[in-house]
Amino acid sequence: MHPLETYEAFVIDLDGVCYLDGRLFEGVPEALFKIESTGARVVFVTNNSYRTPEAFAQMLTAGPFKADPSQVLTSSAAAARMMLQTLAERLSGKEGVTPLKPRVVAAGGKGVHDALRKVGIEPVAPEEWSDPEAPPGVVLGVDRNFNYQRLSLLSRFIREGSEFIATNEDPTYPTPSGLVPGAGAVVAAVEVASGRKARVAGKPHWPMVDLVSNQLGDAHALVVGDRWDTDLAFAHRLGFDSALVLSGVASLEDAVRSPYPPKLVAKSLPTLLDNPVLILRGPKGDISAEGGDPEIARAVQAVLSRNSESNYGSRVDPDRSSRQR
């Protein structure tokens, strides 16, 4: 199976697939250029809420590949749309209508603030909210300025009735020096302190699914990611095939034990295009690896031999949770 001859569109994660902490992996620009040269569409979908689409596009533009901000869909954009809809229902009672320039509290990077402004919402830092009443909403992403004061303010606003939307719930993200805390770690702290769960916008939840579906329609697409719990589950909800690359968080164990085994596995995005391993699932749930990189294929078989079939699919199915919009 050759991906470049099979798919009309590629939905590609960023952290752990294209780069680590902004440092592009070797061969990624050439791989992206090769995809577009076939006429296939390339869409980048990231749970990283810190940067703007413009900043991501600039990072991805290297060698022969030129990225456009319109190709980048972020969890911040999904969260901003989600908050706009929430405010329309909460503040006006009529879907699609909101007061002029509503204000919400936002904690996170420039990506969160810019996404809110693009949909007509004014973001306010937690420390700068001076109204006696709690803000109508709180949007929380990965926040490098997070501290005890912010935790106190955000949890108080939410206890007093602010709508609580999180960009994503990834507990970590990969860097060259290892995993560091992601937005999910910050969100968890606020959830515990406020006693309320956040509504989540990013992968694999429905606000991000809708964002991608609106962009790609019914194109035959492949989701490429490095996490079973976000990328593989996201592909399942979209109804797309998935590919797991081993350059980020995921392990081969994830490839075979996920409730949604990927169609393809590869060491990296460049090798995915040239030499992927095809993962086959039989009618009784049995899994096997075929073709592609012999080293990866042998490693998959080794993992299979260490795990009994009764353990497959033992992880939580995100589709069992309520549909979030």
Side-chain angles (χ1 to χ4, degrees):
M1 179 182 184
H2 200 295
L4 293 176
E5 298 172 356
T6 306
Y7 298 102
E8 301 172 296
F10 287 73
V11 179
I12 302 175
D13 183 40
L14 294 180
D15 290 278
V17 175
C18 292
Y19 55 68
L20 283 181
D21 205 26
R23 303 178 193 176
L24 286 171
F25 292 127
E26 183 178 354
V28 163
E30 291 76 14
L32 295 172
F33 181 75
K34 184 186 294 187
I35 294 171
E36 285 199 334
S37 297
T38 68
R41 295 182 63 183
V42 174
V43 176
F44 301 100
V45 181
T46 179
N47 271 356
N48 188 328
S49 62
Y50 201 77
R51 297 184 176 93
T52 65
E54 290 76 15
F56 283 122
Q58 185 176 7
M59 288 167 50
L60 291 163
T61 296
F65 182 71
K66 304 293 186 290
D68 189 273
S70 65
Q71 293 176 278
V72 183
L73 304 179
T74 68
S75 62
S76 293
R81 287 183 48 173
M82 191 178 186
M83 181 57 79
L84 183 66
Q85 179 182 346
T86 299
L87 293 181
E89 296 167 355
R90 174 172 174 157
L91 300 183
S92 71
K94 296 179 181 179
E95 188 173 353
V97 180
T98 59
L100 184 64
K101 207 67 171 180
R103 299 164 69 238
V104 303
V105 163
K110 191 173 188 294
V112 172
H113 290 73
D114 278 19
L116 287 166
R117 290 191 181 100
K118 284 178 181 178
V119 300
I121 299 174
E122 182 60 32
V124 180
E127 301 81 5
E128 296 174 5
W129 184 263
S130 57
D131 293 3
E133 294 186 2
V138 166
V139 178
L140 179 59
V142 63
D143 183 7
R144 295 177 182 174
N145 294 317
F146 192 71
N147 54 25
Y148 190 81
Q149 180 188 10
R150 284 205 163 182
L151 175 61
S152 300
L153 289 170
L154 293 170
S155 58
R156 176 170 64 82
F157 294 151
I158 293 163
R159 284 195 304 271
E160 292 176 358
S162 298
E163 296 287 344
F164 183 17
I165 292 177
T167 58
N168 65 296
E169 54 189 348
D170 298 41
T172 60
Y173 70 89
T175 73
S177 57
L179 296 177
V180 298
V186 178
V187 171
V190 177
E191 287 180 333
V192 170
S194 67
R196 283 179 53 195
K197 287 288 187 182
R199 297 165 61 207
V200 185
K203 297 182 290 186
H205 298 286
W206 292 101
M208 187 67 97
V209 171
D210 291 341
L211 205 61
V212 173
S213 296
N214 291 340
Q215 185 126 335
L216 291 181
D218 59 357
H220 185 40
L222 179 70
V223 173
V224 184
D226 72 314
R227 300 186 77 116
W228 81 268
D229 53 344
T230 54
D231 301 308
L232 301 188
F234 184 58
H236 172 77
R237 286 182 167 176
L238 281 163
F240 295 164
D241 289 343
S242 63
L244 191 70
V245 296
L246 306 176
S247 49
V249 173
S251 66
L252 283 174
E253 192 84 14
D254 294 310
V256 299
R257 295 196 65 190
S258 164
Y260 313 112
K263 187 87 169 180
L264 303 167
V265 175
K267 291 179 181 177
S268 65
L269 178 62
T271 58
L272 172 69
L273 302 184
D274 297 324
N275 209 20
V277 172
L278 179 63
I279 302 295
L280 302 173
R281 170 163 271 186
K284 295 183 179 180
D286 51 306
I287 300 173
S288 61
E290 182 179 283
D293 185 328
E295 181 183 348
I296 297 293
R298 285 194 299 271
V300 171
Q301 294 295 349
V303 171
L304 289 169
S305 69
R306 294 197 303 267
N307 293 278
S308 66
E309 185 174 331
S310 62
N311 286 329
Y312 297 155
S314 61
R315 296 185 176 181
V316 175
D317 181 345
D319 272 342
R320 292 176 185 169
S321 61
S322 59
R323 180 175 172 119
Q324 300 187 59
R325 285 193 179 274

